[in-house]
Amino acid sequence: MNNIENYDENQIQVLEGLEAVRKRPGMYIGSTGTKGLHHLVYEIVDNAIDEALAEYCTEIKIDLLPDNVIRVHDNGRGIPVGIHPTEKISAATVVFTVLHAGGKFGGSGYKVSGGLHGVGAAVVNALSEWMEVTVFDGNNIHFQRFERGKYKEEMKVIGQTTETGTTISFKPDPLVFEDVTFDYEVLLKRFREQAFLNAGINIVFEDSRDSENIQRERLIYEGGIRQFVEHIHKTKGLDSLTEEIIYISSEMEHATAEIAMQYNDSYNELILSFANNIHTTDGGTHETAFRNALTKTLNEYGKKFNLLKDGDRLVGEDVREGLTAIISVKLEECEFEGQTKGRLGNPEVRPFVEKMLTENLMNYLEENPAVAKSIFEKNIAALQAREAAKKARELTRRKSAMENASLPGKLADCSERDRDLTEIYIVEGDSAGGSAKEGRNRRYQAILSLWGKMLNVEKARLDKVYGNEKLMPVVTALGTGLGEDFNIEKLRYGKVIIMADADVDGSHIRTLLLTFFFRFMRPLITNGNIYIAQPPLFKVYRGKQFKYAFSDTERDKYINELSESGRYKVDVQRYKGLGEMDPEQLWETTMNPETRTMIKIEMEDAVKADEIFTILMGDKVAPRREFIERNAKLVENLDI
Ligand code: TTJ
């Protein structure tokens, strides 16, 4: 029987559903860029993790095969293959063809269910060039193949077996995704995270795309999120303040919560929160509860043991300096809020987590006075630094008021007063700054040239940032203030564009500025104000005809096009720096909104920059070497 030709009403509905996914993939998976591509894998793997959490499966094997084919296998019960009572086809077929049937399959009794947006296996199927489903039910091997969501043959038995489990293989559709190449590190990071969040789960990940260089990793962490904290400190090369990792967990009727935390010798906080194994990048009730309870408990502790001077009070910033914490809650039903659904909304979580932390942390501190002492000393040092920063800030304010020169001299401002229509280019180096100034549209484009030695924000607290000759002009030009003073309402430009050369120094300045924004002006990133300008790398020309290329591939393509496969001579000019372009070229290629391409910085990019920064600027050699080895290709491109 051929289902594509024998439409019945159900089948038509199903196909229309999957057609909708193919028409608007972004609505279902966020984007058709790399993020959306990787999302496909998580969507499938999450189902196997659910089976493991239900304790029916002991191992999940994920293979990244040649041609960017993904294969996910679990040794669970196997997706049910019997005929579905209303759809009249195999239940497994329903899972892969009916939207929103994935994950829960009509109340299979799973307590928690993952899936970033829970879009389900049918969405992945619709966006795959092909997908193959194999189910082992202990007796028979069942098999079905789909192409772009459609099937020609129903689920059928292809052999016998004594095993149980599910294997899904699929190849993302190159007609849907801009690039179908998976990033091993991105996938590994996500699987590792899942292994930390689900203590004891056993994930084997293998990348055999290159037969000469097969990479394989077994991820199993009996210590769960405690080992997550340990891993972060180790890979970042941070020394822990205390030996032990504080671990607190609690369970109530429909929810569990756990927290692992430890201080280190840096000044940065890293709080990662999760709800049902999904990273809540914008926090939410669980994270708010953690922050509140932490500040409250440490103040109470200080009061109780007379460790705080009269009138002194620790604020959130003080107690989070140098803190790494993982918060993981698992709920029957999560409500995700905000534009990117990155914030947990469930109100009942807040009192639950607050109570759990307040009670248990106070007990812990009283039972471990030596640990409590180191933590408290660190908090007090942070409090003192905060007060020093306040003084430095007031001094800078008074100074700039007296000098009556509130905007930096290196700023060539624009005339437009409607902020949303304006942009500021932050440019490293005077010659590039000069070209940009001449080439710009001065009505709505402002140029700020940077000069002087960059502050290593890694090692500096806020009090050192005030008064830094390189960063202060940025702060003043943007108008927002920084740290706790930051106010996005005061932002003077709609877009903040970092423009630097495509070389070592350029990527250095990009990383530094992104790290600076990430640490001290984070809302600029979450609000989507930060961009990276993309100057071309090559000019390919034949006589008066020319094209700008932004990558090696593009260069080769244009050489081929302009030479008409070798019939004409073409020349290639390589731009080493922005300064080599004249103002008109810079405008045409990099600054003209009609023709330029820019990268909009997302939180993930900033987190990555911050990570790169910590490792490369930190004082530990081993993690740096390891990082460079692991990311040899990346580092070569970024040249940090
Ligand atoms: C559902 O309830 C009856 C027994 O089997 C349960 C189930 O669905 N198990 C299951 C699903 N195991 N593995 C999957 C699964 C694995 C992958 C990789 C992908 C998908 C969509 C489901």
Side-chain angles (χ1 to χ4, degrees), residues 43-45 47-49 51 56-57 72-74 76-80 95-96 102-105 108 110 121 165-168:
E43 200 57 53
I44 295 300
V45 170
N47 287 286
I49 290 179
E51 185 71 354
Y56 290 106
C57 149
V72 184
H73 174 78
D74 76 58
R77 293 168 288 181
I79 307 179
V95 169
F96 289 95
K104 284 153 221 141
F105 320 146
S108 57
Y110 288 145
T166 305
T167 308
I168 311 293

PDB file of all heavy atoms in Angstrom, residues 43-45 47-49 51 56-57 72-74 76-80 95-96 102-105 108 110 121 165-168, ligand 1:
ATOM      1  N   GLU A  43      16.439  17.196  20.386  1.00  0.00           N
ATOM      2  CA  GLU A  43      15.041  16.800  20.400  1.00  0.00           C
ATOM      3  C   GLU A  43      14.913  15.272  20.429  1.00  0.00           C
ATOM      4  O   GLU A  43      14.117  14.716  21.175  1.00  0.00           O
ATOM      5  CB  GLU A  43      14.382  17.373  19.141  1.00  0.00           C
ATOM      6  CG  GLU A  43      12.903  17.492  19.193  1.00  0.00           C
ATOM      7  CD  GLU A  43      12.391  18.322  20.351  1.00  0.00           C
ATOM      8  OE1 GLU A  43      12.848  19.456  20.516  1.00  0.00           O
ATOM      9  OE2 GLU A  43      11.531  17.825  21.093  1.00  0.00           O
ATOM     10  N   ILE A  44      15.735  14.619  19.615  1.00  0.00           N
ATOM     11  CA  ILE A  44      15.689  13.157  19.548  1.00  0.00           C
ATOM     12  C   ILE A  44      16.332  12.543  20.791  1.00  0.00           C
ATOM     13  O   ILE A  44      15.773  11.652  21.430  1.00  0.00           O
ATOM     14  CB  ILE A  44      16.404  12.660  18.261  1.00  0.00           C
ATOM     15  CG1 ILE A  44      15.636  13.133  17.010  1.00  0.00           C
ATOM     16  CG2 ILE A  44      16.531  11.150  18.251  1.00  0.00           C
ATOM     17  CD1 ILE A  44      14.197  12.647  16.924  1.00  0.00           C
ATOM     18  N   VAL A  45      17.507  13.054  21.163  1.00  0.00           N
ATOM     19  CA  VAL A  45      18.229  12.494  22.315  1.00  0.00           C
ATOM     20  C   VAL A  45      17.404  12.649  23.598  1.00  0.00           C
ATOM     21  O   VAL A  45      17.390  11.759  24.449  1.00  0.00           O
ATOM     22  CB  VAL A  45      19.613  13.166  22.467  1.00  0.00           C
ATOM     23  CG1 VAL A  45      20.267  12.772  23.781  1.00  0.00           C
ATOM     24  CG2 VAL A  45      20.501  12.784  21.299  1.00  0.00           C
ATOM     25  N   ASN A  47      14.361  12.303  24.054  1.00  0.00           N
ATOM     26  CA  ASN A  47      13.420  11.189  24.187  1.00  0.00           C
ATOM     27  C   ASN A  47      14.092   9.965  24.802  1.00  0.00           C
ATOM     28  O   ASN A  47      13.503   9.270  25.619  1.00  0.00           O
ATOM     29  CB  ASN A  47      12.839  10.813  22.823  1.00  0.00           C
ATOM     30  CG  ASN A  47      11.843  11.844  22.339  1.00  0.00           C
ATOM     31  OD1 ASN A  47      10.729  11.913  22.829  1.00  0.00           O
ATOM     32  ND2 ASN A  47      12.262  12.677  21.413  1.00  0.00           N
ATOM     33  N   ALA A  48      15.323   9.717  24.371  1.00  0.00           N
ATOM     34  CA  ALA A  48      16.068   8.582  24.924  1.00  0.00           C
ATOM     35  C   ALA A  48      16.395   8.846  26.391  1.00  0.00           C
ATOM     36  O   ALA A  48      16.350   7.937  27.229  1.00  0.00           O
ATOM     37  CB  ALA A  48      17.338   8.356  24.120  1.00  0.00           C
ATOM     38  N   ILE A  49      16.707  10.115  26.716  1.00  0.00           N
ATOM     39  CA  ILE A  49      17.010  10.459  28.107  1.00  0.00           C
ATOM     40  C   ILE A  49      15.772  10.248  28.985  1.00  0.00           C
ATOM     41  O   ILE A  49      15.864   9.730  30.093  1.00  0.00           O
ATOM     42  CB  ILE A  49      17.546  11.905  28.211  1.00  0.00           C
ATOM     43  CG1 ILE A  49      18.949  11.962  27.593  1.00  0.00           C
ATOM     44  CG2 ILE A  49      17.580  12.378  29.666  1.00  0.00           C
ATOM     45  CD1 ILE A  49      19.599  13.318  27.592  1.00  0.00           C
ATOM     46  N   GLU A  51      13.530   8.053  28.544  1.00  0.00           N
ATOM     47  CA  GLU A  51      13.418   6.607  28.754  1.00  0.00           C
ATOM     48  C   GLU A  51      14.414   6.154  29.835  1.00  0.00           C
ATOM     49  O   GLU A  51      14.108   5.298  30.652  1.00  0.00           O
ATOM     50  CB  GLU A  51      13.648   5.874  27.423  1.00  0.00           C
ATOM     51  CG  GLU A  51      13.450   4.376  27.447  1.00  0.00           C
ATOM     52  CD  GLU A  51      11.990   3.936  27.578  1.00  0.00           C
ATOM     53  OE1 GLU A  51      11.117   4.795  27.771  1.00  0.00           O
ATOM     54  OE2 GLU A  51      11.743   2.717  27.515  1.00  0.00           O
ATOM     55  N   TYR A  56      14.236   2.632  32.380  1.00  0.00           N
ATOM     56  CA  TYR A  56      14.056   1.484  31.513  1.00  0.00           C
ATOM     57  C   TYR A  56      15.244   1.300  30.584  1.00  0.00           C
ATOM     58  O   TYR A  56      15.274   0.381  29.773  1.00  0.00           O
ATOM     59  CB  TYR A  56      12.788   1.645  30.662  1.00  0.00           C
ATOM     60  CG  TYR A  56      11.535   1.534  31.476  1.00  0.00           C
ATOM     61  CD1 TYR A  56      10.779   2.661  31.770  1.00  0.00           C
ATOM     62  CD2 TYR A  56      11.127   0.300  31.972  1.00  0.00           C
ATOM     63  CE1 TYR A  56       9.626   2.562  32.535  1.00  0.00           C
ATOM     64  CE2 TYR A  56       9.983   0.184  32.744  1.00  0.00           C
ATOM     65  CZ  TYR A  56       9.236   1.325  33.019  1.00  0.00           C
ATOM     66  OH  TYR A  56       8.108   1.210  33.780  1.00  0.00           O
ATOM     67  N   CYS A  57      16.195   2.214  30.662  1.00  0.00           N
ATOM     68  CA  CYS A  57      17.273   2.213  29.684  1.00  0.00           C
ATOM     69  C   CYS A  57      18.571   2.509  30.416  1.00  0.00           C
ATOM     70  O   CYS A  57      18.604   3.340  31.313  1.00  0.00           O
ATOM     71  CB  CYS A  57      16.947   3.288  28.644  1.00  0.00           C
ATOM     72  SG  CYS A  57      18.324   4.116  27.875  1.00  0.00           S
ATOM     73  N   VAL A  72      20.861   7.786  16.863  1.00  0.00           N
ATOM     74  CA  VAL A  72      20.668   7.735  18.320  1.00  0.00           C
ATOM     75  C   VAL A  72      20.063   6.394  18.674  1.00  0.00           C
ATOM     76  O   VAL A  72      19.044   5.996  18.098  1.00  0.00           O
ATOM     77  CB  VAL A  72      19.724   8.865  18.798  1.00  0.00           C
ATOM     78  CG1 VAL A  72      19.625   8.854  20.314  1.00  0.00           C
ATOM     79  CG2 VAL A  72      20.201  10.223  18.298  1.00  0.00           C
ATOM     80  N   HIS A  73      20.701   5.698  19.599  1.00  0.00           N
ATOM     81  CA  HIS A  73      20.176   4.399  20.015  1.00  0.00           C
ATOM     82  C   HIS A  73      20.008   4.364  21.523  1.00  0.00           C
ATOM     83  O   HIS A  73      20.861   4.846  22.265  1.00  0.00           O
ATOM     84  CB  HIS A  73      21.128   3.276  19.588  1.00  0.00           C
ATOM     85  CG  HIS A  73      20.713   1.941  20.124  1.00  0.00           C
ATOM     86  ND1 HIS A  73      19.682   1.206  19.561  1.00  0.00           N
ATOM     87  CD2 HIS A  73      21.143   1.221  21.192  1.00  0.00           C
ATOM     88  CE1 HIS A  73      19.523   0.089  20.267  1.00  0.00           C
ATOM     89  NE2 HIS A  73      20.399   0.071  21.256  1.00  0.00           N
ATOM     90  N   ASP A  74      18.895   3.817  21.987  1.00  0.00           N
ATOM     91  CA  ASP A  74      18.779   3.533  23.420  1.00  0.00           C
ATOM     92  C   ASP A  74      18.318   2.098  23.597  1.00  0.00           C
ATOM     93  O   ASP A  74      17.676   1.541  22.715  1.00  0.00           O
ATOM     94  CB  ASP A  74      17.835   4.531  24.104  1.00  0.00           C
ATOM     95  CG  ASP A  74      16.369   4.263  23.823  1.00  0.00           C
ATOM     96  OD1 ASP A  74      15.892   3.157  24.123  1.00  0.00           O
ATOM     97  OD2 ASP A  74      15.700   5.184  23.291  1.00  0.00           O
ATOM     98  N   GLY A  76      16.128   0.987  25.729  1.00  0.00           N
ATOM     99  CA  GLY A  76      14.901   1.023  26.540  1.00  0.00           C
ATOM    100  C   GLY A  76      13.858   0.044  26.032  1.00  0.00           C
ATOM    101  O   GLY A  76      14.190  -0.967  25.406  1.00  0.00           O
ATOM    102  N   ARG A  77      12.592   0.383  26.277  1.00  0.00           N
ATOM    103  CA  ARG A  77      11.514  -0.546  25.928  1.00  0.00           C
ATOM    104  C   ARG A  77      11.203  -0.564  24.441  1.00  0.00           C
ATOM    105  O   ARG A  77      10.538  -1.461  23.951  1.00  0.00           O
ATOM    106  CB  ARG A  77      10.234  -0.152  26.680  1.00  0.00           C
ATOM    107  CG  ARG A  77      10.342  -0.354  28.173  1.00  0.00           C
ATOM    108  CD  ARG A  77       9.193   0.319  28.883  1.00  0.00           C
ATOM    109  NE  ARG A  77       9.328   1.782  28.854  1.00  0.00           N
ATOM    110  CZ  ARG A  77       8.454   2.613  29.424  1.00  0.00           C
ATOM    111  NH1 ARG A  77       7.395   2.127  30.053  1.00  0.00           N
ATOM    112  NH2 ARG A  77       8.641   3.922  29.380  1.00  0.00           N
ATOM    113  N   GLY A  78      11.645   0.479  23.767  1.00  0.00           N
ATOM    114  CA  GLY A  78      11.284   0.583  22.337  1.00  0.00           C
ATOM    115  C   GLY A  78       9.979   1.347  22.203  1.00  0.00           C
ATOM    116  O   GLY A  78       9.063   1.146  22.992  1.00  0.00           O
ATOM    117  N   ILE A  79       9.919   2.221  21.226  1.00  0.00           N
ATOM    118  CA  ILE A  79       8.674   2.964  21.003  1.00  0.00           C
ATOM    119  C   ILE A  79       7.579   1.953  20.666  1.00  0.00           C
ATOM    120  O   ILE A  79       7.825   1.036  19.874  1.00  0.00           O
ATOM    121  CB  ILE A  79       8.824   3.961  19.833  1.00  0.00           C
ATOM    122  CG1 ILE A  79      10.037   4.868  20.040  1.00  0.00           C
ATOM    123  CG2 ILE A  79       7.574   4.805  19.672  1.00  0.00           C
ATOM    124  CD1 ILE A  79      10.270   5.855  18.916  1.00  0.00           C
ATOM    125  N   PRO A  80       6.398   2.102  21.243  1.00  0.00           N
ATOM    126  CA  PRO A  80       5.322   1.154  20.923  1.00  0.00           C
ATOM    127  C   PRO A  80       5.021   1.154  19.423  1.00  0.00           C
ATOM    128  O   PRO A  80       4.946   2.217  18.810  1.00  0.00           O
ATOM    129  CB  PRO A  80       4.126   1.712  21.706  1.00  0.00           C
ATOM    130  CG  PRO A  80       4.708   2.602  22.752  1.00  0.00           C
ATOM    131  CD  PRO A  80       5.990   3.118  22.206  1.00  0.00           C
ATOM    132  N   VAL A  95       4.049   9.000  16.214  1.00  0.00           N
ATOM    133  CA  VAL A  95       5.060   9.808  16.891  1.00  0.00           C
ATOM    134  C   VAL A  95       5.877  10.632  15.893  1.00  0.00           C
ATOM    135  O   VAL A  95       6.210  11.781  16.146  1.00  0.00           O
ATOM    136  CB  VAL A  95       6.010   8.902  17.710  1.00  0.00           C
ATOM    137  CG1 VAL A  95       7.227   9.672  18.211  1.00  0.00           C
ATOM    138  CG2 VAL A  95       5.272   8.260  18.871  1.00  0.00           C
ATOM    139  N   PHE A  96       6.153  10.048  14.739  1.00  0.00           N
ATOM    140  CA  PHE A  96       7.027  10.725  13.778  1.00  0.00           C
ATOM    141  C   PHE A  96       6.290  11.518  12.697  1.00  0.00           C
ATOM    142  O   PHE A  96       6.910  12.135  11.851  1.00  0.00           O
ATOM    143  CB  PHE A  96       7.977   9.715  13.123  1.00  0.00           C
ATOM    144  CG  PHE A  96       9.015   9.231  14.098  1.00  0.00           C
ATOM    145  CD1 PHE A  96       8.827   8.065  14.812  1.00  0.00           C
ATOM    146  CD2 PHE A  96      10.137  10.007  14.349  1.00  0.00           C
ATOM    147  CE1 PHE A  96       9.764   7.645  15.742  1.00  0.00           C
ATOM    148  CE2 PHE A  96      11.072   9.589  15.281  1.00  0.00           C
ATOM    149  CZ  PHE A  96      10.888   8.410  15.988  1.00  0.00           C
ATOM    150  N   GLY A 102       5.260  13.729  20.196  1.00  0.00           N
ATOM    151  CA  GLY A 102       6.530  13.224  20.726  1.00  0.00           C
ATOM    152  C   GLY A 102       6.635  13.352  22.223  1.00  0.00           C
ATOM    153  O   GLY A 102       5.892  14.082  22.850  1.00  0.00           O
ATOM    154  N   GLY A 103       7.578  12.637  22.796  1.00  0.00           N
ATOM    155  CA  GLY A 103       7.893  12.793  24.213  1.00  0.00           C
ATOM    156  C   GLY A 103       6.942  12.059  25.124  1.00  0.00           C
ATOM    157  O   GLY A 103       7.318  11.102  25.763  1.00  0.00           O
ATOM    158  N   LYS A 104       5.720  12.487  25.151  1.00  0.00           N
ATOM    159  CA  LYS A 104       4.846  11.913  26.171  1.00  0.00           C
ATOM    160  C   LYS A 104       3.934  10.792  25.677  1.00  0.00           C
ATOM    161  O   LYS A 104       3.472   9.999  26.463  1.00  0.00           O
ATOM    162  CB  LYS A 104       4.037  13.022  26.854  1.00  0.00           C
ATOM    163  CG  LYS A 104       4.902  13.792  27.828  1.00  0.00           C
ATOM    164  CD  LYS A 104       4.419  15.223  28.019  1.00  0.00           C
ATOM    165  CE  LYS A 104       5.577  16.169  28.076  1.00  0.00           C
ATOM    166  NZ  LYS A 104       5.330  17.410  27.388  1.00  0.00           N
ATOM    167  N   PHE A 105       3.716  10.747  24.416  1.00  0.00           N
ATOM    168  CA  PHE A 105       2.881   9.698  23.798  1.00  0.00           C
ATOM    169  C   PHE A 105       1.675   9.324  24.641  1.00  0.00           C
ATOM    170  O   PHE A 105       1.516   8.172  25.038  1.00  0.00           O
ATOM    171  CB  PHE A 105       3.656   8.404  23.554  1.00  0.00           C
ATOM    172  CG  PHE A 105       5.052   8.556  23.061  1.00  0.00           C
ATOM    173  CD1 PHE A 105       6.015   7.657  23.453  1.00  0.00           C
ATOM    174  CD2 PHE A 105       5.414   9.591  22.197  1.00  0.00           C
ATOM    175  CE1 PHE A 105       7.315   7.760  22.987  1.00  0.00           C
ATOM    176  CE2 PHE A 105       6.695   9.698  21.741  1.00  0.00           C
ATOM    177  CZ  PHE A 105       7.666   8.790  22.145  1.00  0.00           C
ATOM    178  N   SER A 108       2.648   8.254  29.096  1.00  0.00           N
ATOM    179  CA  SER A 108       3.390   7.022  29.311  1.00  0.00           C
ATOM    180  C   SER A 108       3.885   6.934  30.744  1.00  0.00           C
ATOM    181  O   SER A 108       4.559   5.992  31.122  1.00  0.00           O
ATOM    182  CB  SER A 108       4.579   6.981  28.351  1.00  0.00           C
ATOM    183  OG  SER A 108       5.375   8.123  28.535  1.00  0.00           O
ATOM    184  N   TYR A 110       5.875   9.196  32.274  1.00  0.00           N
ATOM    185  CA  TYR A 110       7.150   9.849  32.569  1.00  0.00           C
ATOM    186  C   TYR A 110       6.920  10.989  33.531  1.00  0.00           C
ATOM    187  O   TYR A 110       6.006  11.782  33.354  1.00  0.00           O
ATOM    188  CB  TYR A 110       7.764  10.443  31.293  1.00  0.00           C
ATOM    189  CG  TYR A 110       8.298   9.407  30.337  1.00  0.00           C
ATOM    190  CD1 TYR A 110       8.205   9.611  28.970  1.00  0.00           C
ATOM    191  CD2 TYR A 110       8.904   8.254  30.805  1.00  0.00           C
ATOM    192  CE1 TYR A 110       8.699   8.684  28.084  1.00  0.00           C
ATOM    193  CE2 TYR A 110       9.400   7.327  29.914  1.00  0.00           C
ATOM    194  CZ  TYR A 110       9.295   7.536  28.560  1.00  0.00           C
ATOM    195  OH  TYR A 110       9.785   6.622  27.681  1.00  0.00           O
ATOM    196  N   ALA A 121       9.390  14.627  17.808  1.00  0.00           N
ATOM    197  CA  ALA A 121      10.118  13.914  16.769  1.00  0.00           C
ATOM    198  C   ALA A 121       9.565  14.193  15.376  1.00  0.00           C
ATOM    199  O   ALA A 121      10.299  14.124  14.389  1.00  0.00           O
ATOM    200  CB  ALA A 121      10.082  12.420  17.067  1.00  0.00           C
ATOM    201  N   GLY A 165      14.801  -1.863  22.376  1.00  0.00           N
ATOM    202  CA  GLY A 165      15.422  -0.560  22.202  1.00  0.00           C
ATOM    203  C   GLY A 165      14.906   0.172  20.977  1.00  0.00           C
ATOM    204  O   GLY A 165      14.026  -0.327  20.265  1.00  0.00           O
ATOM    205  N   THR A 166      15.453   1.352  20.785  1.00  0.00           N
ATOM    206  CA  THR A 166      15.029   2.201  19.666  1.00  0.00           C
ATOM    207  C   THR A 166      16.261   2.782  18.988  1.00  0.00           C
ATOM    208  O   THR A 166      17.173   3.233  19.682  1.00  0.00           O
ATOM    209  CB  THR A 166      14.162   3.377  20.186  1.00  0.00           C
ATOM    210  OG1 THR A 166      13.073   2.861  20.949  1.00  0.00           O
ATOM    211  CG2 THR A 166      13.624   4.217  19.039  1.00  0.00           C
ATOM    212  N   THR A 167      16.298   2.757  17.674  1.00  0.00           N
ATOM    213  CA  THR A 167      17.374   3.433  16.941  1.00  0.00           C
ATOM    214  C   THR A 167      16.755   4.400  15.943  1.00  0.00           C
ATOM    215  O   THR A 167      15.890   4.002  15.159  1.00  0.00           O
ATOM    216  CB  THR A 167      18.246   2.439  16.157  1.00  0.00           C
ATOM    217  OG1 THR A 167      18.681   1.420  17.050  1.00  0.00           O
ATOM    218  CG2 THR A 167      19.467   3.133  15.563  1.00  0.00           C
ATOM    219  N   ILE A 168      17.189   5.644  16.003  1.00  0.00           N
ATOM    220  CA  ILE A 168      16.711   6.643  15.050  1.00  0.00           C
ATOM    221  C   ILE A 168      17.927   7.171  14.296  1.00  0.00           C
ATOM    222  O   ILE A 168      18.896   7.588  14.916  1.00  0.00           O
ATOM    223  CB  ILE A 168      16.064   7.850  15.774  1.00  0.00           C
ATOM    224  CG1 ILE A 168      15.052   7.417  16.831  1.00  0.00           C
ATOM    225  CG2 ILE A 168      15.470   8.827  14.768  1.00  0.00           C
ATOM    226  CD1 ILE A 168      13.829   6.769  16.294  1.00  0.00           C
TER     227      ILE A 168
HETATM  228  C1  TTJ B   1       6.576   4.591  25.791  1.00  0.00           C
HETATM  229  O1  TTJ B   1       5.753   3.817  26.652  1.00  0.00           O
HETATM  230  C2  TTJ B   1       5.747   2.412  26.419  1.00  0.00           C
HETATM  231  C3  TTJ B   1       7.157   1.892  26.339  1.00  0.00           C
HETATM  232  O2  TTJ B   1       8.016   2.697  25.536  1.00  0.00           O
HETATM  233  C4  TTJ B   1       7.994   4.062  25.820  1.00  0.00           C
HETATM  234  C5  TTJ B   1       8.841   4.771  24.814  1.00  0.00           C
HETATM  235  O3  TTJ B   1       8.388   5.526  24.023  1.00  0.00           O
HETATM  236  N1  TTJ B   1      10.149   4.502  24.869  1.00  0.00           N
HETATM  237  C6  TTJ B   1      11.079   5.075  24.094  1.00  0.00           C
HETATM  238  C7  TTJ B   1      11.019   6.100  23.173  1.00  0.00           C
HETATM  239  N2  TTJ B   1      12.332   4.682  24.149  1.00  0.00           N
HETATM  240  N3  TTJ B   1      13.054   5.381  23.314  1.00  0.00           N
HETATM  241  C8  TTJ B   1      12.292   6.249  22.692  1.00  0.00           C
HETATM  242  C9  TTJ B   1      12.781   7.177  21.735  1.00  0.00           C
HETATM  243  C10 TTJ B   1      14.142   7.175  21.473  1.00  0.00           C
HETATM  244  C11 TTJ B   1      14.646   8.034  20.551  1.00  0.00           C
HETATM  245  C12 TTJ B   1      16.103   8.041  20.277  1.00  0.00           C
HETATM  246  C13 TTJ B   1      13.810   8.900  19.864  1.00  0.00           C
HETATM  247  C14 TTJ B   1      12.455   8.887  20.124  1.00  0.00           C
HETATM  248  C15 TTJ B   1      11.573   9.821  19.399  1.00  0.00           C
HETATM  249  C16 TTJ B   1      11.946   8.043  21.073  1.00  0.00           C
END
